[in-house]
């Protein structure tokens, strides 16, 4: 039986402005099985930025990603898309 693996997560995230997007992307890329992270800034406010965060990898653990974002001071507004792969 082939295993089903999570390979892509797209999130709507509210992050503090003091956290640079490069730092957020780099720190997420250090998580296990993460191969690529894309951060698109959607909206900028005085204290926060709304970003579309795309995390791609071979066998992602969504709980690790969500925990890391919370520890970084980010708030996940929604999970907008996921992709899985069988085999």
């Amino acid at each position: 039986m082939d295993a089903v693996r999570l390979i892509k997560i797209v999130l709507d995230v509210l992050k503090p402005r003091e956290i640079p997007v490069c730092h957020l992307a780099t720190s997420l890329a250090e998580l296990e099985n993460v191969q690529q992270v894309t951060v698109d800034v959607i909206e900028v406010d005085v204290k926060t930025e709304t970003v579309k965060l795309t995390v791609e990898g071979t066998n992602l653990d969504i709980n690790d990603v969500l925990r890391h974002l919370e520890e970084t001071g980010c708030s996940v507004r929604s999970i907008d898309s996921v992709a899985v792969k069988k085999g």
Side-chain angles (χ1 to χ4, degrees):
M1 183 185 209
D2 291 334
V4 176
R5 298 173 286 128
L6 181 61
I7 60 169
K8 182 177 180 180
I9 309 166
V10 180
L11 304 164
D12 180 359
V13 175
L14 189 65
K15 74 164 203 62
R17 285 203 59 201
E18 60 266 11
I19 300 172
V21 291
C22 291
H23 172 74
L24 181 61
T26 302
S27 65
L28 282 164
E30 292 175 357
L31 295 176
E32 188 174 352
N33 297 323
V34 174
Q35 294 180 323
Q36 182 172 323
V37 177
T38 305
V39 182
D40 297 306
V41 177
I42 305 300
E43 184 178 333
V44 177
D45 292 323
V46 174
K47 295 184 179 183
T48 61
E49 293 177 340
T50 300
V51 298
K52 180 176 99 173
L53 185 62
T54 305
V55 182
E56 298 178 79
T58 55
N59 189 18
L60 300 172
D61 184 332
I62 194 165
N63 293 319
D64 284 350
V65 173
L66 296 175
R67 187 177 315 108
H68 181 77
L69 290 170
E70 184 178 308
E71 290 171 355
T72 311
C74 297
S75 175
V76 176
R77 295 165 41 147
S78 63
I79 300 172
D80 294 341
S81 177
V82 296
V84 298
K85 184 175 184 178
K86 187 174 180 180

